[in-house]
Short mmCIF file of all heavy atoms in Angstrom, two decimals:
data_model
loop_
_atom_site.label_atom_id
_atom_site.label_comp_id
_atom_site.label_asym_id
_atom_site.label_seq_id
_atom_site.Cartn_x
_atom_site.Cartn_y
_atom_site.Cartn_z
N GLY A 284 -5.05 -91.79 10.77
CA GLY A 284 -3.73 -92.40 10.95
C GLY A 284 -3.22 -93.01 9.67
O GLY A 284 -2.05 -92.84 9.30
N GLY A 285 -4.09 -93.73 8.96
CA GLY A 285 -3.68 -94.29 7.67
C GLY A 285 -3.35 -93.21 6.67
O GLY A 285 -2.45 -93.35 5.85
N GLU A 286 -4.13 -92.10 6.72
CA GLU A 286 -3.84 -90.98 5.82
C GLU A 286 -2.46 -90.38 6.11
O GLU A 286 -1.71 -90.06 5.19
CB GLU A 286 -4.92 -89.92 5.98
CG GLU A 286 -4.75 -88.70 5.11
CD GLU A 286 -4.99 -88.99 3.64
OE1 GLU A 286 -5.44 -90.11 3.31
OE2 GLU A 286 -4.74 -88.10 2.82
N LEU A 287 -2.12 -90.22 7.38
CA LEU A 287 -0.80 -89.68 7.74
C LEU A 287 0.32 -90.60 7.27
O LEU A 287 1.34 -90.14 6.73
CB LEU A 287 -0.72 -89.47 9.25
CG LEU A 287 0.60 -88.92 9.79
CD1 LEU A 287 0.88 -87.53 9.20
CD2 LEU A 287 0.59 -88.86 11.31
N VAL A 288 0.12 -91.93 7.44
CA VAL A 288 1.14 -92.88 6.99
C VAL A 288 1.32 -92.79 5.48
O VAL A 288 2.44 -92.81 4.96
CB VAL A 288 0.76 -94.31 7.43
CG1 VAL A 288 1.67 -95.33 6.76
CG2 VAL A 288 0.85 -94.44 8.94
N ARG A 289 0.19 -92.69 4.75
CA ARG A 289 0.28 -92.58 3.29
C ARG A 289 1.01 -91.31 2.88
O ARG A 289 1.87 -91.32 1.98
CB ARG A 289 -1.12 -92.60 2.68
CG ARG A 289 -1.12 -92.50 1.15
CD ARG A 289 -2.53 -92.31 0.62
NE ARG A 289 -3.10 -91.02 0.99
CZ ARG A 289 -2.84 -89.86 0.35
NH1 ARG A 289 -2.01 -89.85 -0.68
NH2 ARG A 289 -3.40 -88.75 0.76
N LEU A 290 0.68 -90.19 3.53
CA LEU A 290 1.31 -88.92 3.16
C LEU A 290 2.81 -88.93 3.43
O LEU A 290 3.59 -88.38 2.64
CB LEU A 290 0.64 -87.78 3.93
CG LEU A 290 -0.78 -87.41 3.52
CD1 LEU A 290 -1.37 -86.39 4.48
CD2 LEU A 290 -0.81 -86.87 2.09
N ILE A 291 3.20 -89.55 4.54
CA ILE A 291 4.64 -89.61 4.83
C ILE A 291 5.36 -90.37 3.74
O ILE A 291 6.42 -89.96 3.26
CB ILE A 291 4.87 -90.25 6.21
CG1 ILE A 291 4.37 -89.31 7.32
CG2 ILE A 291 6.36 -90.55 6.42
CD1 ILE A 291 4.44 -89.92 8.70
N GLY A 292 4.81 -91.49 3.32
CA GLY A 292 5.44 -92.25 2.24
C GLY A 292 5.49 -91.47 0.94
O GLY A 292 6.50 -91.49 0.23
N ASP A 293 4.39 -90.76 0.63
CA ASP A 293 4.37 -89.98 -0.61
C ASP A 293 5.39 -88.86 -0.57
O ASP A 293 6.09 -88.59 -1.57
CB ASP A 293 2.96 -89.40 -0.83
CG ASP A 293 1.95 -90.47 -1.20
OD1 ASP A 293 2.38 -91.62 -1.48
OD2 ASP A 293 0.74 -90.17 -1.18
N VAL A 294 5.48 -88.14 0.54
CA VAL A 294 6.44 -87.02 0.63
C VAL A 294 7.86 -87.54 0.51
O VAL A 294 8.70 -86.94 -0.19
CB VAL A 294 6.24 -86.25 1.96
CG1 VAL A 294 7.39 -85.29 2.19
CG2 VAL A 294 4.91 -85.50 1.93
N ARG A 295 8.16 -88.64 1.15
CA ARG A 295 9.51 -89.20 1.03
C ARG A 295 9.83 -89.57 -0.42
O ARG A 295 10.94 -89.31 -0.91
CB ARG A 295 9.64 -90.43 1.92
CG ARG A 295 9.76 -90.12 3.40
CD ARG A 295 9.90 -91.40 4.20
NE ARG A 295 10.16 -91.13 5.62
CZ ARG A 295 10.30 -92.07 6.54
NH1 ARG A 295 10.22 -93.36 6.20
NH2 ARG A 295 10.52 -91.75 7.80
N THR A 296 8.88 -90.18 -1.09
CA THR A 296 9.12 -90.61 -2.47
C THR A 296 9.19 -89.43 -3.42
O THR A 296 10.06 -89.36 -4.29
CB THR A 296 8.00 -91.57 -2.92
OG1 THR A 296 7.97 -92.71 -2.05
CG2 THR A 296 8.23 -92.05 -4.34
N GLU A 297 8.28 -88.46 -3.27
CA GLU A 297 8.21 -87.33 -4.21
C GLU A 297 9.36 -86.35 -4.03
O GLU A 297 9.83 -85.77 -5.00
CB GLU A 297 6.87 -86.63 -4.04
CG GLU A 297 5.69 -87.47 -4.49
CD GLU A 297 4.36 -86.89 -4.06
OE1 GLU A 297 4.38 -85.77 -3.47
OE2 GLU A 297 3.30 -87.51 -4.28
N THR A 298 9.79 -86.13 -2.82
CA THR A 298 10.91 -85.18 -2.60
C THR A 298 12.27 -85.82 -2.78
O THR A 298 13.25 -85.12 -3.02
CB THR A 298 10.82 -84.58 -1.18
OG1 THR A 298 10.95 -85.63 -0.22
CG2 THR A 298 9.50 -83.86 -0.98
N GLY A 299 12.33 -87.14 -2.64
CA GLY A 299 13.62 -87.81 -2.72
C GLY A 299 14.51 -87.52 -1.54
O GLY A 299 15.71 -87.82 -1.58
N ARG A 300 13.94 -86.98 -0.48
CA ARG A 300 14.74 -86.61 0.69
C ARG A 300 14.55 -87.64 1.78
O ARG A 300 13.44 -88.12 2.05
CB ARG A 300 14.30 -85.24 1.24
CG ARG A 300 14.40 -84.09 0.26
CD ARG A 300 15.82 -83.62 0.08
NE ARG A 300 16.45 -83.30 1.33
CZ ARG A 300 16.27 -82.14 1.98
NH1 ARG A 300 15.43 -81.23 1.50
NH2 ARG A 300 16.90 -81.91 3.12
N ASN A 301 15.66 -87.99 2.44
CA ASN A 301 15.59 -88.87 3.58
C ASN A 301 15.25 -88.05 4.82
O ASN A 301 15.54 -86.85 4.89
CB ASN A 301 16.92 -89.59 3.77
CG ASN A 301 16.84 -90.70 4.78
OD1 ASN A 301 15.76 -91.27 5.00
ND2 ASN A 301 17.96 -91.02 5.41
N ASP A 302 14.63 -88.65 5.81
CA ASP A 302 14.36 -87.96 7.07
C ASP A 302 14.62 -88.91 8.22
O ASP A 302 14.64 -90.14 8.04
CB ASP A 302 12.92 -87.45 7.10
CG ASP A 302 11.89 -88.56 7.03
OD1 ASP A 302 11.70 -89.26 8.04
OD2 ASP A 302 11.29 -88.72 5.95
N PRO A 303 14.83 -88.38 9.43
CA PRO A 303 15.27 -89.22 10.54
C PRO A 303 14.14 -89.75 11.42
O PRO A 303 14.37 -90.12 12.57
CB PRO A 303 16.16 -88.27 11.35
CG PRO A 303 15.51 -86.93 11.16
CD PRO A 303 14.95 -86.94 9.77
N LEU A 304 12.90 -89.82 10.91
CA LEU A 304 11.77 -90.21 11.74
C LEU A 304 11.45 -91.70 11.51
O LEU A 304 11.15 -92.10 10.38
CB LEU A 304 10.56 -89.35 11.41
CG LEU A 304 9.30 -89.60 12.26
CD1 LEU A 304 9.58 -89.26 13.72
CD2 LEU A 304 8.13 -88.76 11.72
N LEU A 305 11.50 -92.49 12.58
CA LEU A 305 11.09 -93.90 12.54
C LEU A 305 9.64 -93.98 12.97
O LEU A 305 9.27 -93.54 14.07
CB LEU A 305 11.96 -94.74 13.47
CG LEU A 305 11.57 -96.22 13.60
CD1 LEU A 305 11.71 -96.93 12.26
CD2 LEU A 305 12.41 -96.91 14.66
N ILE A 306 8.79 -94.56 12.11
CA ILE A 306 7.35 -94.61 12.36
C ILE A 306 6.94 -96.06 12.54
O ILE A 306 7.27 -96.93 11.72
CB ILE A 306 6.57 -93.97 11.19
CG1 ILE A 306 7.04 -92.51 11.01
CG2 ILE A 306 5.07 -94.03 11.42
CD1 ILE A 306 6.68 -91.93 9.70
N VAL A 307 6.23 -96.31 13.64
CA VAL A 307 5.68 -97.63 13.92
C VAL A 307 4.18 -97.48 14.04
O VAL A 307 3.68 -96.79 14.94
CB VAL A 307 6.27 -98.24 15.20
CG1 VAL A 307 5.69 -99.64 15.45
CG2 VAL A 307 7.79 -98.29 15.13
N ALA A 308 3.45 -98.06 13.09
CA ALA A 308 1.99 -98.00 13.08
C ALA A 308 1.42 -99.35 13.45
O ALA A 308 1.89 -100.40 12.99
CB ALA A 308 1.50 -97.57 11.70
N SER A 309 0.43 -99.31 14.30
CA SER A 309 -0.23 -100.55 14.73
C SER A 309 -1.69 -100.47 14.33
O SER A 309 -2.38 -99.50 14.65
CB SER A 309 -0.10 -100.73 16.25
OG SER A 309 -0.82 -101.86 16.68
N GLY A 310 -2.15 -101.48 13.62
CA GLY A 310 -3.54 -101.47 13.19
C GLY A 310 -3.97 -102.82 12.67
O GLY A 310 -3.27 -103.84 12.84
N GLY A 311 -5.08 -102.79 12.00
CA GLY A 311 -5.59 -104.03 11.44
C GLY A 311 -4.80 -104.42 10.21
O GLY A 311 -3.57 -104.32 10.17
N GLN A 312 -5.51 -104.82 9.20
CA GLN A 312 -4.84 -105.24 8.00
C GLN A 312 -4.16 -104.06 7.32
O GLN A 312 -4.70 -102.96 7.26
CB GLN A 312 -5.85 -105.88 7.04
CG GLN A 312 -6.39 -107.21 7.52
CD GLN A 312 -5.28 -108.23 7.73
OE1 GLN A 312 -4.36 -108.35 6.92
NE2 GLN A 312 -5.33 -108.96 8.84
N PRO A 313 -2.95 -104.26 6.81
CA PRO A 313 -2.24 -103.18 6.13
C PRO A 313 -2.88 -102.85 4.79
O PRO A 313 -3.80 -103.55 4.35
CB PRO A 313 -0.83 -103.76 5.97
CG PRO A 313 -1.04 -105.23 5.92
CD PRO A 313 -2.20 -105.52 6.82
N PRO A 314 -2.41 -101.78 4.14
CA PRO A 314 -2.97 -101.43 2.83
C PRO A 314 -2.87 -102.60 1.87
O PRO A 314 -1.93 -103.40 1.92
CB PRO A 314 -2.10 -100.26 2.37
CG PRO A 314 -1.57 -99.68 3.63
CD PRO A 314 -1.40 -100.82 4.57
N PRO A 315 -3.84 -102.73 0.96
CA PRO A 315 -3.85 -103.87 0.04
C PRO A 315 -2.67 -103.87 -0.92
O PRO A 315 -2.39 -104.89 -1.55
CB PRO A 315 -5.19 -103.72 -0.69
CG PRO A 315 -5.55 -102.27 -0.55
CD PRO A 315 -5.01 -101.84 0.78
N ASP A 316 -1.99 -102.71 -1.05
CA ASP A 316 -0.85 -102.65 -1.97
C ASP A 316 0.31 -103.50 -1.48
O ASP A 316 1.22 -103.81 -2.25
CB ASP A 316 -0.38 -101.20 -2.14
CG ASP A 316 -1.53 -100.31 -2.60
OD1 ASP A 316 -2.35 -100.77 -3.40
OD2 ASP A 316 -1.58 -99.15 -2.13
N LEU A 317 0.37 -103.77 -0.18
CA LEU A 317 1.51 -104.49 0.39
C LEU A 317 1.40 -105.98 0.12
O LEU A 317 0.30 -106.55 0.07
CB LEU A 317 1.57 -104.26 1.90
CG LEU A 317 2.23 -102.97 2.37
CD1 LEU A 317 2.09 -102.87 3.88
CD2 LEU A 317 3.68 -102.92 1.98
N PRO A 318 2.55 -106.63 -0.04
CA PRO A 318 2.53 -108.09 -0.11
C PRO A 318 2.19 -108.69 1.25
O PRO A 318 1.97 -107.96 2.23
CB PRO A 318 3.96 -108.44 -0.54
CG PRO A 318 4.78 -107.26 -0.10
CD PRO A 318 3.86 -106.07 -0.22
N GLU A 319 2.19 -109.98 1.36
CA GLU A 319 1.86 -110.66 2.60
C GLU A 319 2.82 -110.23 3.71
O GLU A 319 4.02 -110.21 3.53
CB GLU A 319 1.96 -112.18 2.39
CG GLU A 319 1.57 -113.00 3.60
CD GLU A 319 0.08 -112.90 3.94
OE1 GLU A 319 -0.72 -112.53 3.03
OE2 GLU A 319 -0.28 -113.15 5.11
N PRO A 320 2.27 -109.83 4.92
CA PRO A 320 3.16 -109.41 6.01
C PRO A 320 4.10 -110.52 6.44
O PRO A 320 3.77 -111.71 6.37
CB PRO A 320 2.18 -109.05 7.13
CG PRO A 320 0.88 -108.79 6.46
CD PRO A 320 0.84 -109.69 5.26
N HIS A 321 5.28 -110.12 6.92
CA HIS A 321 6.26 -111.07 7.43
C HIS A 321 5.96 -111.36 8.89
O HIS A 321 5.51 -110.49 9.64
CB HIS A 321 7.67 -110.47 7.33
CG HIS A 321 8.14 -110.27 5.92
ND1 HIS A 321 8.88 -111.18 5.22
CD2 HIS A 321 7.95 -109.22 5.06
CE1 HIS A 321 9.15 -110.73 4.01
NE2 HIS A 321 8.60 -109.51 3.89
N PRO A 322 6.26 -112.56 9.35
CA PRO A 322 6.11 -112.84 10.78
C PRO A 322 7.15 -112.08 11.59
O PRO A 322 8.22 -111.73 11.10
CB PRO A 322 6.30 -114.35 10.88
CG PRO A 322 7.07 -114.72 9.66
CD PRO A 322 6.66 -113.76 8.58
N LEU A 323 6.81 -111.80 12.85
CA LEU A 323 7.74 -111.05 13.71
C LEU A 323 9.08 -111.74 13.84
O LEU A 323 10.11 -111.09 14.01
CB LEU A 323 7.12 -110.85 15.09
CG LEU A 323 5.96 -109.86 15.19
CD1 LEU A 323 5.48 -109.78 16.64
CD2 LEU A 323 6.37 -108.48 14.71
N THR A 324 9.06 -113.06 13.81
CA THR A 324 10.33 -113.78 13.95
C THR A 324 11.29 -113.48 12.82
O THR A 324 12.49 -113.72 12.94
CB THR A 324 10.06 -115.29 14.03
OG1 THR A 324 9.28 -115.68 12.88
CG2 THR A 324 9.32 -115.65 15.30
N GLU A 325 10.76 -112.95 11.71
CA GLU A 325 11.61 -112.64 10.56
C GLU A 325 11.75 -111.13 10.39
O GLU A 325 11.95 -110.63 9.29
CB GLU A 325 11.03 -113.25 9.30
CG GLU A 325 10.92 -114.78 9.35
CD GLU A 325 10.23 -115.33 8.11
OE1 GLU A 325 9.91 -114.53 7.18
OE2 GLU A 325 9.99 -116.55 8.06
N ALA A 326 11.63 -110.38 11.49
CA ALA A 326 11.66 -108.91 11.40
C ALA A 326 12.97 -108.41 10.80
O ALA A 326 12.99 -107.52 9.94
CB ALA A 326 11.43 -108.31 12.78
N ASP A 327 14.08 -108.96 11.26
CA ASP A 327 15.38 -108.51 10.77
C ASP A 327 15.52 -108.78 9.28
O ASP A 327 15.97 -107.94 8.50
CB ASP A 327 16.48 -109.21 11.56
CG ASP A 327 17.68 -108.30 11.78
OD1 ASP A 327 17.48 -107.12 12.08
OD2 ASP A 327 18.82 -108.80 11.64
N GLU A 328 15.12 -110.00 8.85
CA GLU A 328 15.23 -110.34 7.44
C GLU A 328 14.28 -109.50 6.59
O GLU A 328 14.61 -109.12 5.46
CB GLU A 328 14.93 -111.83 7.24
CG GLU A 328 15.97 -112.77 7.81
CD GLU A 328 15.85 -112.95 9.32
OE1 GLU A 328 14.91 -112.35 9.92
OE2 GLU A 328 16.70 -113.65 9.90
N ALA A 329 13.11 -109.19 7.15
CA ALA A 329 12.15 -108.36 6.40
C ALA A 329 12.72 -106.97 6.15
O ALA A 329 12.56 -106.41 5.06
CB ALA A 329 10.83 -108.28 7.17
N TYR A 330 13.38 -106.40 7.16
CA TYR A 330 13.98 -105.07 6.97
C TYR A 330 15.08 -105.12 5.93
O TYR A 330 15.15 -104.25 5.05
CB TYR A 330 14.52 -104.54 8.29
CG TYR A 330 15.37 -103.30 8.11
CD1 TYR A 330 14.80 -102.08 7.84
CD2 TYR A 330 16.76 -103.38 8.16
CE1 TYR A 330 15.57 -100.94 7.64
CE2 TYR A 330 17.54 -102.26 7.95
CZ TYR A 330 16.95 -101.04 7.69
OH TYR A 330 17.73 -99.93 7.48
N ASP A 331 15.97 -106.13 6.01
CA ASP A 331 17.07 -106.21 5.04
C ASP A 331 16.53 -106.38 3.63
O ASP A 331 17.06 -105.79 2.67
CB ASP A 331 17.98 -107.38 5.40
CG ASP A 331 18.76 -107.13 6.68
OD1 ASP A 331 18.91 -105.95 7.05
OD2 ASP A 331 19.22 -108.11 7.31
N GLU A 332 15.46 -107.16 3.47
CA GLU A 332 14.87 -107.34 2.15
C GLU A 332 14.30 -106.02 1.63
O GLU A 332 14.47 -105.65 0.47
CB GLU A 332 13.77 -108.40 2.24
CG GLU A 332 13.07 -108.65 0.92
CD GLU A 332 11.95 -109.67 1.06
OE1 GLU A 332 12.01 -110.49 2.00
OE2 GLU A 332 11.01 -109.63 0.24
N TRP A 333 13.62 -105.29 2.53
CA TRP A 333 13.08 -103.98 2.13
C TRP A 333 14.17 -102.99 1.76
O TRP A 333 14.06 -102.27 0.77
CB TRP A 333 12.23 -103.43 3.27
CG TRP A 333 11.83 -101.99 3.07
CD1 TRP A 333 10.77 -101.53 2.36
CD2 TRP A 333 12.51 -100.83 3.59
NE1 TRP A 333 10.73 -100.16 2.39
CE2 TRP A 333 11.80 -99.70 3.14
CE3 TRP A 333 13.64 -100.65 4.37
CZ2 TRP A 333 12.18 -98.41 3.46
CZ3 TRP A 333 14.02 -99.36 4.68
CH2 TRP A 333 13.31 -98.25 4.24
N ALA A 334 15.23 -102.93 2.56
CA ALA A 334 16.32 -101.98 2.29
C ALA A 334 16.97 -102.26 0.95
O ALA A 334 17.37 -101.34 0.22
CB ALA A 334 17.36 -102.04 3.40
N GLY A 335 17.10 -103.54 0.57
CA GLY A 335 17.70 -103.85 -0.71
C GLY A 335 16.82 -103.48 -1.88
O GLY A 335 17.31 -103.11 -2.95
N ALA A 336 15.50 -103.57 -1.69
CA ALA A 336 14.58 -103.27 -2.79
C ALA A 336 14.17 -101.81 -2.85
O ALA A 336 13.53 -101.39 -3.82
CB ALA A 336 13.33 -104.16 -2.66
N LEU A 337 14.50 -101.01 -1.81
CA LEU A 337 14.03 -99.63 -1.75
C LEU A 337 14.43 -98.78 -2.95
O LEU A 337 13.59 -98.06 -3.50
CB LEU A 337 14.52 -98.98 -0.44
CG LEU A 337 14.12 -97.52 -0.25
CD1 LEU A 337 12.60 -97.39 -0.17
CD2 LEU A 337 14.77 -96.93 1.01
N PRO A 338 15.69 -98.77 -3.40
CA PRO A 338 16.03 -97.90 -4.54
C PRO A 338 15.17 -98.17 -5.78
O PRO A 338 14.73 -97.23 -6.44
CB PRO A 338 17.51 -98.23 -4.79
CG PRO A 338 18.01 -98.72 -3.48
CD PRO A 338 16.87 -99.46 -2.87
N GLU A 339 14.93 -99.44 -6.07
CA GLU A 339 14.13 -99.77 -7.25
C GLU A 339 12.68 -99.35 -7.05
O GLU A 339 12.04 -98.79 -7.95
CB GLU A 339 14.21 -101.27 -7.52
CG GLU A 339 13.43 -101.73 -8.74
CD GLU A 339 14.00 -101.20 -10.06
OE1 GLU A 339 15.16 -100.68 -10.04
OE2 GLU A 339 13.33 -101.29 -11.08
N MET A 340 12.12 -99.57 -5.85
CA MET A 340 10.72 -99.18 -5.60
C MET A 340 10.56 -97.66 -5.63
O MET A 340 9.53 -97.16 -6.09
CB MET A 340 10.29 -99.74 -4.25
CG MET A 340 10.14 -101.26 -4.22
SD MET A 340 9.32 -101.87 -2.73
CE MET A 340 10.54 -101.47 -1.49
N ARG A 341 11.56 -96.91 -5.16
CA ARG A 341 11.48 -95.45 -5.22
C ARG A 341 11.53 -94.96 -6.66
O ARG A 341 10.82 -94.02 -7.03
CB ARG A 341 12.61 -94.81 -4.41
CG ARG A 341 12.50 -95.04 -2.93
CD ARG A 341 13.61 -94.34 -2.17
NE ARG A 341 13.51 -92.90 -2.23
CZ ARG A 341 14.33 -92.06 -1.62
NH1 ARG A 341 15.34 -92.55 -0.89
NH2 ARG A 341 14.16 -90.76 -1.70
N ARG A 342 12.35 -95.64 -7.44
CA ARG A 342 12.45 -95.22 -8.85
C ARG A 342 11.13 -95.45 -9.58
O ARG A 342 10.70 -94.61 -10.37
CB ARG A 342 13.58 -95.97 -9.53
CG ARG A 342 13.86 -95.52 -10.96
CD ARG A 342 15.02 -96.31 -11.55
NE ARG A 342 14.67 -97.71 -11.74
CZ ARG A 342 13.98 -98.18 -12.80
NH1 ARG A 342 13.57 -97.34 -13.74
NH2 ARG A 342 13.72 -99.45 -12.90
N LEU A 343 10.48 -96.58 -9.29
CA LEU A 343 9.22 -96.91 -9.94
C LEU A 343 8.02 -96.25 -9.26
O LEU A 343 6.90 -96.34 -9.77
CB LEU A 343 9.03 -98.44 -9.94
CG LEU A 343 10.08 -99.24 -10.71
CD1 LEU A 343 9.83 -100.73 -10.56
CD2 LEU A 343 10.08 -98.85 -12.20
N ARG A 344 8.26 -95.61 -8.10
CA ARG A 344 7.22 -94.93 -7.34
C ARG A 344 6.03 -95.87 -7.08
O ARG A 344 4.87 -95.53 -7.29
CB ARG A 344 6.74 -93.67 -8.05
CG ARG A 344 7.83 -92.63 -8.19
CD ARG A 344 7.27 -91.25 -8.40
NE ARG A 344 8.33 -90.25 -8.33
CZ ARG A 344 8.11 -88.95 -8.20
NH1 ARG A 344 6.87 -88.49 -8.12
NH2 ARG A 344 9.12 -88.11 -8.16
N ARG A 345 6.33 -97.01 -6.58
CA ARG A 345 5.29 -97.98 -6.26
C ARG A 345 4.56 -97.56 -4.99
O ARG A 345 5.13 -96.97 -4.09
CB ARG A 345 5.90 -99.37 -6.08
CG ARG A 345 6.39 -99.98 -7.40
CD ARG A 345 6.98 -101.35 -7.16
NE ARG A 345 7.39 -101.95 -8.42
CZ ARG A 345 8.03 -103.11 -8.52
NH1 ARG A 345 8.34 -103.78 -7.41
NH2 ARG A 345 8.36 -103.59 -9.70
N PRO A 346 3.28 -97.90 -4.91
CA PRO A 346 2.54 -97.59 -3.68
C PRO A 346 3.14 -98.32 -2.48
O PRO A 346 3.68 -99.42 -2.62
CB PRO A 346 1.11 -98.09 -3.99
CG PRO A 346 1.03 -98.19 -5.48
CD PRO A 346 2.44 -98.52 -5.95
N ALA A 347 3.02 -97.72 -1.33
CA ALA A 347 3.51 -98.30 -0.07
C ALA A 347 4.99 -98.67 -0.15
O ALA A 347 5.42 -99.68 0.39
CB ALA A 347 2.67 -99.52 0.31
N THR A 348 5.77 -97.80 -0.83
CA THR A 348 7.20 -98.08 -0.98
C THR A 348 7.90 -98.19 0.36
O THR A 348 8.80 -99.02 0.54
CB THR A 348 7.84 -96.95 -1.82
OG1 THR A 348 7.29 -96.98 -3.13
CG2 THR A 348 9.35 -97.12 -1.89
N TRP A 349 7.49 -97.39 1.33
CA TRP A 349 8.23 -97.28 2.59
C TRP A 349 7.69 -98.22 3.69
O TRP A 349 8.23 -98.23 4.79
CB TRP A 349 8.19 -95.84 3.10
CG TRP A 349 8.91 -94.91 2.18
CD1 TRP A 349 8.40 -94.28 1.10
CD2 TRP A 349 10.28 -94.54 2.26
NE1 TRP A 349 9.36 -93.53 0.48
CE2 TRP A 349 10.55 -93.66 1.18
CE3 TRP A 349 11.33 -94.85 3.13
CZ2 TRP A 349 11.79 -93.11 0.95
CZ3 TRP A 349 12.57 -94.28 2.91
CH2 TRP A 349 12.80 -93.43 1.83
N LEU A 350 6.63 -98.98 3.38
CA LEU A 350 6.00 -99.81 4.39
C LEU A 350 6.66 -101.19 4.50
O LEU A 350 6.99 -101.81 3.48
CB LEU A 350 4.52 -100.00 4.08
CG LEU A 350 3.62 -98.79 4.38
CD1 LEU A 350 2.22 -99.03 3.84
CD2 LEU A 350 3.57 -98.51 5.86
N VAL A 351 6.84 -101.63 5.74
CA VAL A 351 7.28 -102.99 6.05
C VAL A 351 6.26 -103.54 7.04
O VAL A 351 6.16 -103.05 8.18
CB VAL A 351 8.69 -103.03 6.65
CG1 VAL A 351 9.05 -104.47 7.04
CG2 VAL A 351 9.71 -102.48 5.68
N ALA A 352 5.47 -104.53 6.62
CA ALA A 352 4.39 -105.08 7.45
C ALA A 352 4.89 -106.32 8.20
O ALA A 352 5.54 -107.20 7.61
CB ALA A 352 3.18 -105.44 6.59
N LEU A 353 4.56 -106.37 9.48
CA LEU A 353 4.95 -107.49 10.33
C LEU A 353 3.71 -107.96 11.10
O LEU A 353 2.90 -107.14 11.55
CB LEU A 353 6.04 -107.07 11.32
CG LEU A 353 7.36 -106.57 10.72
CD1 LEU A 353 8.25 -106.01 11.82
CD2 LEU A 353 8.07 -107.67 9.96
N ARG A 354 3.61 -109.27 11.27
CA ARG A 354 2.46 -109.81 11.99
C ARG A 354 2.95 -110.79 13.05
O ARG A 354 3.97 -111.47 12.88
CB ARG A 354 1.52 -110.53 11.03
CG ARG A 354 2.17 -111.71 10.29
CD ARG A 354 1.17 -112.50 9.48
NE ARG A 354 1.85 -113.52 8.68
CZ ARG A 354 2.28 -114.69 9.16
NH1 ARG A 354 2.10 -114.98 10.44
NH2 ARG A 354 2.88 -115.56 8.38
N PRO A 355 2.24 -110.88 14.20
CA PRO A 355 2.60 -111.88 15.21
C PRO A 355 2.10 -113.26 14.81
O PRO A 355 1.18 -113.39 14.01
CB PRO A 355 1.89 -111.36 16.46
CG PRO A 355 0.72 -110.60 15.94
CD PRO A 355 1.14 -110.01 14.62
N ASP A 356 2.69 -114.26 15.39
CA ASP A 356 2.27 -115.63 15.16
C ASP A 356 1.16 -115.95 16.16
O ASP A 356 1.37 -115.91 17.37
CB ASP A 356 3.47 -116.58 15.35
CG ASP A 356 3.13 -118.00 14.88
OD1 ASP A 356 1.94 -118.30 14.73
OD2 ASP A 356 4.08 -118.78 14.68
#
Side-chain angles (χ1 to χ4, degrees):
E286 180 70 8
L287 179 61
V288 170
R289 180 188 67 81
L290 289 173
I291 292 175
D293 289 350
V294 169
R295 285 181 174 179
T296 300
E297 292 168 4
T298 62
R300 302 283 306 280
N301 190 26
D302 62 75
L304 183 63
L305 175 63
I306 302 163
V307 181
S309 175
Q312 291 301 317
D316 304 323
L317 278 175
E319 183 67 21
H321 294 266
L323 289 180
T324 54
E325 299 176 4
D327 215 42
E328 291 79 2
Y330 169 75
D331 291 339
E332 179 182 336
W333 169 84
L337 179 63
E339 181 67 13
M340 291 191 293
R341 292 182 68 178
R342 186 179 67 82
L343 298 176
R344 297 201 171 194
R345 289 180 177 175
T348 295
W349 295 86
L350 285 172
V351 176
L353 300 172
R354 60 173 174 79
D356 190 343

